[in-house]
Amino acid sequence: SLQRQLDAFEQHTGTPPDFIDGHQHIHQLPGLRQALLQVLQTRYGSHAPWVRSTLPAQWGINKAAILALLGGYQLHRLLGRAHLRHNPQFSGVYGFDATTPAAYGAQMQAWLRSAPSGTLLMCHPATAEVPGDAIGRQRPVEFAYLMSDAFAQALQRQGCQIKQF
């Protein structure tokens, strides 16, 4: 199935993917992570796409730690052993309960303060809600904050940069 997905992606775009990021973190689950690594190494060798790791930047009893325990830690370790490019830390995990841009911004401030260099910060912005989307209400809230001067100022205060991989 992964080979077919990569074939379809490459046929449609004319290029291999820049990164691999399984929907709802599925690429880190036992069995899938080993298959993913094998396919990437066989298909691309040293030019394999960058892979998203979910090793949390902040530990605690929270959703980020649960992601790590559900396979994120093991995937991170295996990516390192295989010398596959990946982010060193992961952040931006929350309960989709910030009902205003300011509330989301407060969470963002905490993530930025505790993010070591190279941290991948997950977000789910959209300009409008999509019916049936479980996190649809949160998407415009995130979008509003990410487009705000407050976000630009927060990045500047923390000395953060947005980089394309």
Side-chain angles (χ1 to χ4, degrees), residues 135-159:
I135 61 170
R137 283 189 164 172
Q138 194 60 37
R139 292 181 190 278
V141 172
E142 290 186 16
F143 182 83
Y145 177 74
L146 295 171
M147 296 301 294
S148 72
D149 288 339
F151 179 54
Q153 293 164 5
L155 290 174
Q156 189 173 32
R157 276 193 305 277
Q158 295 299 322

Side-chain angles (χ1 to χ4, degrees), residues 5-86:
Q5 289 180 40
L6 291 168
D7 289 343
F9 182 92
E10 291 176 18
Q11 287 169 4
H12 182 73
T13 65
T15 185
D18 291 327
F19 65 94
I20 302 293
D21 179 356
H23 182 65
Q24 296 184 338
H25 320 290
I26 193 168
H27 66 292
Q28 71 180 21
L29 296 176
L32 295 176
R33 63 179 172 245
Q34 290 88 345
L36 172 65
L37 295 179
Q38 182 180 4
V39 167
L40 293 179
Q41 289 175 314
T42 302
R43 188 175 181 120
Y44 302 109
S46 63
H47 301 290
W50 178 91
V51 179
R52 183 187 59 169
S53 168
T54 59
L55 188 69
Q58 322 75 339
W59 282 90
I61 300 180
N62 56 32
K63 188 175 175 181
I66 292 168
L67 286 175
L69 294 172
L70 288 173
Y73 177 76
Q74 288 296 334
L75 175 63
H76 189 86
R77 189 173 57 80
L78 292 170
L79 289 167
R81 281 188 188 164
H83 304 288
L84 292 171
R85 295 176 301 140
H86 60 286

Side-chain angles (χ1 to χ4, degrees), residues 94-159:
Y94 71 114
F96 302 110
D97 52 358
T99 58
T100 66
Y104 181 69
Q107 296 212 47
M108 180 66 72
Q109 294 287 330
W111 298 326
L112 292 174
R113 278 193 301 274
S114 65
S117 181
T119 297
L120 175 67
L121 199 141
M122 172 178 65
C123 57
H124 308 82
T127 56
E129 286 185 46
V130 174
D133 182 354
I135 61 170
R137 283 189 164 172
Q138 194 60 37
R139 292 181 190 278
V141 172
E142 290 186 16
F143 182 83
Y145 177 74
L146 295 171
M147 296 301 294
S148 72
D149 288 339
F151 179 54
Q153 293 164 5
L155 290 174
Q156 189 173 32
R157 276 193 305 277
Q158 295 299 322

